[in-house]
């Protein structure tokens, strides 16, 4: 996630991560209304196995983000060398922009730590849904910008896709305008 936590605090809550029994898809068969036949037992078993592999990779990513002993390189190691990291860029926020490589992911965590107060940031996860190669997390993030001292709070949704045991897609949706407002210094009042 982009602004959900910082490398010094790693306050992302993994307590809300459901166990595999809590978050497994209700059915792996195609809906009857589509006119397609239900998935075969081997196909359903492979889909379930892929779901569990994805869950394990994302859980490891969250563990590393939450662990203060894990730095930007360790967090980025859960990503593929090439990654589709999408977020609406905002020039007022140094760390909010698209990324395309594992090295860019390292840069995200370095920039986030440089521009936010470590003890005043984090995230909570409300939902962690996994189906096949895709995982979606929703929750709330918060932080304080070093340069302005202003705080931000935002709901977020994060879609991650896993291939070959690595995260290959990272699409995050958050209140980047609110975060930009926290990064923007207040105007000084003119003196008479």
């Amino acid at each position: 996630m982009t602004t959900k936590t910082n490398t010094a605090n790693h306050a992302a809550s993994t307590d809300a991560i459901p166990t595999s029994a809590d978050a497994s898809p209700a059915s792996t068969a195609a809906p009857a209304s589509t006119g397609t036949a239900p998935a075969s037992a081997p196909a359903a078993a492979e889909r379930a196995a892929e779901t569990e592999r994805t869950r394990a990779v994302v859980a490891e990513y969250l563990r590393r983000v939450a662990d203060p002993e894990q730095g930007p390189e360790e967090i980025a190691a859960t990503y593929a060398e090439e990654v589709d990291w999408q977020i609406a860029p905002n020039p007022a926020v140094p760390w909010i922009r698209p990324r395309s490589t594992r090295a860019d992911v390292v840069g995200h965590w370095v920039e986030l730590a440089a521009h936010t107060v470590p003890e005043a940031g984090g995230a909570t996860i409300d939902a962690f849904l996994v189906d096949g190669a895709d995982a979606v997390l929703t929750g709330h993030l918060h932080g304080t910008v070093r340069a302005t001292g202003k705080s931000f709070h935002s709901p977020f949704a994060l879609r991650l896709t896993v291939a070959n045991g690595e995260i290959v897609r990272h699409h995050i949706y958050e209140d980047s305008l609110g975060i930009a407002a926290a990064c923007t210094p207040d105007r000084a009042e003119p003196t008479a």
Side-chain angles (χ1 to χ4, degrees):
M1 294 183 232
T2 58
T3 58
K4 69 179 177 36
T5 187
N6 54 54
T7 55
N9 190 25
H10 301 301
S13 171
T14 56
D15 296 336
I17 298 174
T19 63
S20 56
D22 295 331
S24 62
S27 171
T28 55
S33 63
T34 65
T36 59
S40 67
E46 177 51 36
R47 181 72 170 195
E50 181 181 38
T51 295
E52 289 311 309
R53 288 189 301 267
T54 298
R55 184 183 322 283
V57 170
V58 174
E60 177 61 16
Y61 162 73
L62 294 172
R63 186 197 68 76
R64 291 180 189 200
V65 168
D67 181 352
E69 299 298 317
Q70 301 290 307
E73 293 81 10
E74 290 84 8
I75 295 168
T78 60
Y79 286 81
E81 284 296 330
E82 292 185 13
V83 63
D84 175 18
W85 178 304
Q86 291 298 316
I87 186 169
N90 192 316
V93 185
W95 65 90
I96 294 184
R97 67 174 182 279
R99 313 277 175 159
S100 61
T101 66
R102 184 182 293 158
D104 289 341
V105 175
V106 171
H108 164 75
W109 292 101
V110 168
E111 292 165 17
L112 181 62
H115 293 285
T116 59
V117 177
E119 303 78 29
T124 57
I125 296 171
D126 301 327
F128 177 17
L129 309 170
V130 181
D131 185 24
D134 294 304
V136 175
L137 295 92
T138 63
H140 292 83
L141 58 90
H142 66 278
T144 300
V145 177
R146 282 185 198 271
T148 65
K150 294 181 186 179
S151 295
F152 57 86
H153 301 269
S154 173
F156 74 87
L158 174 63
R159 178 185 179 192
L160 299 171
T161 301
V162 173
N164 300 316
E166 298 175 315
I167 298 169
V168 296
R169 177 185 295 138
H170 178 118
H171 289 190
I172 188 156
Y173 308 93
E174 61 190 12
D175 180 8
S176 58
L177 285 177
I179 297 167
C183 291
T184 305
D186 291 330
R187 291 185 188 172
E189 294 294 321
T191 57

